[in-house]
Amino acid sequence: MRAFEDDIERVLISEEEIRSRVQEIGNKISKDYNEEHDVVAIGILKGASIFFADLVRAIKLPLMFDFMIVSSYGEASISSGEVNIKKELEFDVHGKDVILMEDIIDTGITMSCVRKIMSGRGANSVKLAALLDKPERRKVELDIDYLGFTTPDEFLVGYGLDYAERYRNLPYVGILKREIYE
Ligand code: IMP
Ligand code: MG
């Protein structure tokens, strides 16, 4: 085992579990849309990069790719509905069917703001696909249209998720040892 894997308390969701769940979500999305839709898959970088890459390949529909980098101002975003857009989309989403792809929903603040921004720009529809959900930490109401797994309130890394920019390349979702971040 390489050194950085020693920082993992245990594997929460294995590579195989992720693979089959992502396939199921891709099948569901492929059924929910048709040729009338003009789908844009929007990956929220960097966390969703791996989930995005796997999920889009499981969707049997023509679609476009775009990416955003956003961070919320925390609690301040709840009332203002504002997030800090660090990388803007390339395309105008007006009239498009947007599928937002995110790694994990925690407080829900970030994605609830991004959803509102997409609707405000005149998207025809906005759906949210998230690999993971930590419902215990939710601060705002948020519908997740396509969800991979509900997780306990632990700090998770791997399959795109980081701690201090590390561990994103682990092929599974693991629980980070507390001693690493405490
Ligand atoms: P929120 O839902 O606005 O609180 O923000 C969710 C964001 O917080 C995600 O996109 C992640 O970047 C980050 N995040 C939340 N929980 C975790 C975790 O357990 N591991 C790594 N990143 C996390
Ligand atoms: Mg993120």
Side-chain angles (χ1 to χ4, degrees):
M1 191 192 274
R2 276 163 300 176
F4 79 128
E5 291 202 280
D6 290 343
D7 298 348
I8 305 304
E9 184 70 47
R10 69 183 171 90
V11 174
L12 184 69
I13 310 165
S14 71
E15 251 185 289
E16 292 69 29
E17 287 173 293
I18 296 171
R19 193 180 302 121
S20 77
R21 189 73 188 112
V22 168
Q23 209 57 52
E24 284 171 14
I25 296 171
N27 289 341
K28 177 82 169 70
I29 291 175
S30 308
K31 284 193 192 117
D32 288 354
Y33 293 81
N34 58 44
E35 293 70 31
E36 316 264 288
H37 294 107
D38 196 356
V39 179
V40 187
I42 298 179
I44 310 298
L45 299 178
K46 301 170 206 168
S49 54
I50 314 275
F51 177 52
F52 180 95
D54 284 346
L55 182 55
V56 291
R57 284 179 291 174
I59 299 174
K60 307 301 174 202
L61 294 165
L63 53 73
M64 297 198 293
F65 283 17
D66 213 340
F67 299 97
M68 264 184 128
I69 301 182
V70 292
S71 62
S72 81
Y73 301 105
E75 306 271 322
S77 307
I78 298 180
S79 49
S80 68
E82 280 179 45
V83 283
N84 178 19
I85 301 178
K86 294 196 216 156
K87 187 225 163 284
E88 188 44 276
L89 295 176
E90 185 182 348
F91 301 125
D92 179 3
V93 297
H94 189 272
K96 305 279 193 231
D97 295 286
V98 168
I99 308 177
L100 298 166
M101 300 185 181
E102 174 63 313
D103 53 357
I104 184 165
I105 309 298
D106 189 36
T107 64
I109 295 169
T110 312
M111 289 322 287
S112 107
C113 291
V114 173
R115 257 196 121 124
K116 281 187 201 130
I117 291 169
M118 294 303 129
S119 304
R121 290 179 184 180
N124 182 54
S125 67
V126 185
K127 296 243 172 133
L128 171 60
L131 178 73
L132 307 171
D133 179 24
K134 261 191 217 174
E136 285 169 57
R137 296 196 18 107
R138 193 75 86 257
K139 294 226 166 84
V140 290
E141 217 178 286
L142 180 68
D143 286 335
I144 305 173
D145 304 282
Y146 305 102
L147 175 66
F149 305 90
T150 300
T151 70
D153 183 13
E154 298 276 2
F155 200 88
L156 308 173
V157 292
Y159 198 75
L161 288 95
D162 76 309
Y163 171 69
E165 294 300 327
R166 300 273 184 147
Y167 312 101
R168 293 192 196 275
N169 57 323
L170 289 171
Y172 51 79
V173 172
I175 298 177
L176 191 65
K177 283 185 179 163
R178 283 188 176 268
E179 67 209 55
I180 305 294
Y181 61 93
E182 272 179 353

